[in-house]
Amino acid sequence: MSFKLLHEKIGHMSRNFSFLLASTSLIILLAVLAFSCSQPKKIEDFTVTPEPFSTPEIELRVDSILATMTFEEKIAQIQGIRPTELLVDGKLSLDLCREKIPNGIGHMCQFSSSFTMEPEELRDFVREVQSYLMTETRLKIPAVFHEEAITGFSTKGATTFPQQIGIVCSWNPEMATRNALSTRNNMKAVGANYALSPMLDVIRTAHWPRIEESYGEDPYLTSTMGVAFIKGLQGDDFKSGIAATTKHFAGYGANTSNEKDFFEDYLMPHEAAIKGANVKSVMPSYAAYKGVPDVANPELLTDILRGKLGFDGITVSDYHSIDHVYGKWEQASSYKEAGVMALKAGNDLEFPLPKTYEFLPEALEEGLITMEVIDAVVKRSLIMKVKLGLLDNPVFGAEGDLDFDPPANRKLAYEAACQSIVLLENNGILPLKVDEIKDIALVGPNSDNVFCLLGDYTYQSMITYFWGQIFDPESPRIVTIIDGLKNKLGNKASIHNERGCDWTEPLGTLIDPNSYGGGELGTAKKNILSRVAQPDFEKALSIAKKSDVIIAAVGENTYLCGENREREGIRLPGEQELFVQKLIETGKPVVLVITGGRQQLVDKFSGQCAAIIQAWFPGEEAGNALADILLGNVNPTAKLCVSYPKDESEVEMNYQHGYKEVQPQYPFGFGLSYTTYAYSDFHMPSKANINDASFSISCTVENTGSVDGAEIVQLYVSPLDESSSMDAIQLKGFKRVNLKAGEQKTLTFEVSPQQLMQYLDGNWKVEAGKYAFKIGASSVDIPLSGIIELQGEDMVLEGRNVFFSKSKVIDE
């Protein structure tokens, strides 16, 4: 046989083999799809059951300790104290320890965010306190050290992630877990073991100044991200993890007058965390439920939390919330009565100081409270300490030098920022074409400083606002917008920078940082305004007129959004709107970049700016992430976790009720990309039994553009029966799908009928009937849908144990 003939035969065999291989692959894929859709699921695959707080062994151990405790030692274990109370000239004072915590202490409160200590100093401080407690107090019981953790470990030098309202716009629970795991490692390195995080309030108005700490307006998305965060922070073992605390229980920042909404929406994230992530610490809110302050509300803390939700862990007061029962709410006649009310209602620990619990000896003597109630609370406090390993020869912190912001963490922070930044409008100006652009005007109050990039309860915000101190922007290094552009552009284009206007003062005003008085707000303004350049409006306008493109960085800063920070309205603060309008009038394309903790109105600029970006508070890698998105090195993928209002109405905006009377500027789930996606091949059975464990929904999504990207595929449900009281549309699943240009993937959702549960007349009920399931790119962009009929009798259940659908990309 000639070489040529042999070559032809081999080629023919090869082509046949390739065809056979391709055919076999197709058959396998179809079989996988058929298998995934046809295999019966068990309801146990969807239900979640928490582990018990205690065990018989722990009970015996704690009971033996409790039997030896004096009354004073018991009270000490249910109180907290701030470490600043124990310092003299910045050093731990043993004399103050002997005076203020002679019988031990339950918690050291916010032990790191009030200091400017280096990591090793902080670890050594923790060890000093614990050494005192384990050598000079009779019981030798260490303290719990707790801190804030929603954007990372709130301490000097630690990685600072985007604020939660930004993180959730990634729709990426796996990323939330990774970030929280890095936070856990940093906290463990100094001996911390407890976090007052995450915040799981469902918020439906941009007017509430703490919306930035939330995961937005949807209970399903909030629950998913909350559970993911807790799994990273706490993990499966309290001894190796950081005990997570869900807050604020429940309905903080919202209208909770509708019982159905309260149980279905506002309780869901807490319940999912308790049952699905084994949370054993819950913080009641500053709010009131049915007119009674949450921290002293027996219906909320005993009947609902411990009764209906089955919570068996420990409850901790928000700071000073118990004394608010007397001072703010005026529902107690004294601090003593406030403390008694809180304990009897179901609140266990008082933070950050024993302002009301210090009167418990008097209350006991007067018969206002019983020892049985106190012992039960002390017992829960000790159980938590056993679970954390504090009574088993604990080691506090890691040895050697500590690095709270290693390259791996900065990479996480960068990826988180990239995935949290939402592109709202784009007329084609983005990504910027640097081969055509020579001069970039970078203007606006947020163009050149760090104070617009960091959310509340970051270390930087807390040290600035609550403690009136100045932080080091190099520990960790915070990348400003101008620095990010310089890093990414190099010498490809010239950047001309001028702030141009202040955050709140009129255009052309000479800012005097010392003119704002004292108090938290005045001191914060002084410390921030003394560290930024004076704005020059005319210079900014001149720069803008000479540029090829204008990047206007506007919005909020540390003292304009966050706890105890109120401002009028939700438009851009001060005269920033006028400033942007003047930039638009130059005729040059304006890219509006908004940073801050809430949706800020852009109705005046929609269609006038060449592009609009909502960046939230993007954290330490803000500048690099924004620059890469502006320049096209990163394709934006984020989608809104809130409805974006178009006016200043204070009426709560909830996409679940349908956008009927109030239309948003941008809907829930919306976000643009530099590529396009197409949806096809929707499959769902037309009928299912209401008692089935689940049914399958599948579709195909394709990247039809020329840029690699990631599409967030969203699954919604709407009731079709006119008698149904279910909300008009609800999120029931989502999946972030990475797609190269031209690539398509098939994904499936396994949905349990129990996800359609409603709270009706005091019971959980799944109604038989017809439902429309919808798949799309936002809550209003729905290219695919189908109808399924749930057959059988209505299902009534004692409680809610199914929260999430299961999603899978078949092609991965």
Side-chain angles (χ1 to χ4, degrees), residues 124-264:
D124 294 344
F125 169 77
V126 171
R127 289 176 173 176
E128 287 179 47
V129 173
Q130 300 289 35
S131 175
Y132 161 76
L133 292 169
M134 296 176 70
T135 58
E136 296 203 24
T137 61
R138 189 180 71 87
L139 293 174
K140 306 186 186 309
I141 298 176
V144 170
F145 277 70
H146 76 233
E147 194 42 90
E148 306 290 341
I150 57 172
T151 59
F153 181 21
S154 188
T155 194
K156 181 180 180 181
T159 304
T160 306
F161 293 106
Q163 183 58 288
Q164 280 201 163
I165 198 170
I167 284 286
V168 66
C169 290
S170 70
W171 297 57
N172 189 341
E174 291 81 10
M175 185 178 71
T177 299
R178 291 194 298 270
N179 292 352
L181 177 59
S182 75
T183 300
R184 179 213 297 193
N185 294 337
N186 277 350
M187 295 183 75
K188 297 296 286 188
V190 297
N193 36 40
Y194 211 95
L196 303 185
S197 303
M199 198 260 237
L200 298 181
D201 299 319
V202 174
I203 307 300
R204 290 164 171 164
T205 173
H207 290 271
W208 195 57
R210 297 188 70 176
I211 185 174
E212 62 172 274
E213 300 172 58
S214 80
Y215 285 129
E217 73 179 64
D218 182 73
Y220 186 99
L221 183 56
T222 297
S223 300
T224 305
M225 296 298 284
V227 167
F229 176 96
I230 294 162
K231 287 184 176 179
L233 186 72
Q234 182 173 287
D236 297 324
D237 182 1
F238 280 83
K239 291 183 180 180
S240 60
I242 298 292
T245 302
T246 69
K247 64 182 185 185
H248 305 86
F249 193 82
Y252 190 34
N255 181 348
T256 59
S257 59
N258 183 299
E259 184 181 60
K260 187 173 188 293
D261 286 347
F262 182 72
F263 274 83
E264 290 182 10

Side-chain angles (χ1 to χ4, degrees), residues 376-667:
V377 173
V378 175
K379 187 172 181 176
R380 284 194 286 269
S381 178
L382 292 174
I383 289 172
M384 179 60 82
K385 288 191 173 185
V386 172
K387 292 178 74 68
L388 291 171
L390 290 177
L391 305 188
D392 296 308
N393 301 313
V395 175
F396 301 108
E399 298 300 328
D401 295 337
L402 302 179
D403 185 355
F404 282 169
D405 193 39
N409 281 18
R410 291 202 70 94
K411 184 173 184 291
L412 289 176
Y414 167 77
E415 292 172 349
C418 288
Q419 292 187 27
S420 70
I421 295 168
V422 187
L423 179 61
L424 297 176
E425 294 191 16
N426 183 21
N427 70 0
I429 188 72
L430 297 181
L432 296 176
K433 302 169 181 63
V434 292
D435 55 337
E436 301 175 8
I437 294 173
K438 300 304 178 185
D439 292 287
I440 297 174
L442 176 61
V443 296
N446 292 347
S447 61
D448 66 348
N449 65 86
V450 302
F451 304 106
C452 56
L453 307 175
L454 309 167
D456 198 13
Y457 282 99
T458 59
Y459 165 75
Q460 297 88 344
S461 174
M462 295 180 73
I463 203 77
T464 299
Y465 194 84
F466 293 124
W467 296 100
Q469 299 182 47
I470 293 174
F471 66 87
D472 179 1
E474 293 297 319
S475 183
R477 179 170 54 87
I478 311 299
V479 183
T480 63
I481 297 176
I482 187 171
D483 287 340
L485 281 169
K486 287 179 178 178
N487 292 342
K488 302 298 179 175
L489 274 172
N491 59 4
K492 296 177 182 177
S494 297
I495 303 170
H496 307 279
N497 177 235
E498 167 55 49
R499 293 186 70 221
C501 75
D502 178 61
W503 285 290
T504 60
E505 299 298 333
L507 295 178
T509 300
L510 183 65
I511 309 299
D512 178 6
N514 297 308
S515 64
Y516 295 98
E520 290 178 338
L521 180 58
T523 302
K525 284 187 173 183
K526 174 183 176 180
N527 287 340
I528 289 175
L529 294 173
S530 63
R531 299 172 71 193
V532 298
Q534 285 283 351
D536 187 330
F537 171 63
E538 295 299 334
K539 183 179 178 182
L541 214 55
S542 175
I543 288 173
K545 290 176 180 177
K546 297 175 183 177
S547 69
D548 298 313
V549 64
I550 303 167
I551 300 174
V554 297
E556 296 177 316
N557 64 22
T558 299
Y559 61 72
L560 288 171
C561 194
E563 186 171 14
N564 299 335
R565 275 149 275 189
E566 302 284 347
R567 72 175 179 91
E568 187 176 347
I570 55 173
R571 293 194 172 277
L572 294 177
E575 292 192 350
Q576 293 185 53
E577 280 192 346
L578 177 59
F579 177 69
V580 175
Q581 191 60 48
K582 294 294 184 183
L583 296 175
I584 292 172
E585 290 172 3
T586 66
K588 299 300 177 70
V590 176
V591 176
L592 191 67
V593 176
I594 306 170
T595 63
R598 73 185 97 207
Q599 313 96 296
Q600 297 168 75
L601 298 186
V602 296
D603 56 305
K604 293 183 178 180
F605 309 125
S606 179
Q608 292 195 63
C609 288
I612 300 177
I613 291 174
Q614 173 57 263
W616 311 109
F617 285 129
E620 67 178 39
E621 280 288 318
N624 287 330
L626 272 165
D628 275 338
I629 286 175
L630 290 168
L631 299 174
N633 301 326
V634 168
N635 185 0
T637 59
K639 302 213 175 188
L640 291 174
C641 64
V642 286
S643 303
Y644 208 107
K646 62 169 52 177
D647 60 43
E648 296 213 72
S649 169
E650 296 190 24
V651 176
E652 290 188 343
M653 184 174 287
N654 178 8
Y655 85 93
Q656 292 186 151
H657 294 165
Y659 298 128
K660 297 177 181 177
E661 297 179 1
V662 181
Q663 290 293 317
Q665 188 79 47
Y666 313 105

Side-chain angles (χ1 to χ4, degrees), residues 676-690:
T676 53
Y677 299 98
Y679 290 74
S680 61
D681 300 331
F682 180 91
H683 294 285
M684 180 179 70
S686 60
K687 298 177 182 179
N689 190 290
I690 198 169

Side-chain angles (χ1 to χ4, degrees), residues 22-39 41 746 748 808 810:
S23 300
T24 303
S25 299
L26 178 60
I27 292 169
I28 292 173
L29 175 60
L30 291 173
V32 168
L33 282 169
F35 180 83
S36 66
C37 295
S38 64
Q39 286 300 296
K41 297 289 191 300
T746 299
T748 63
K808 179 178 177 60
I810 296 299

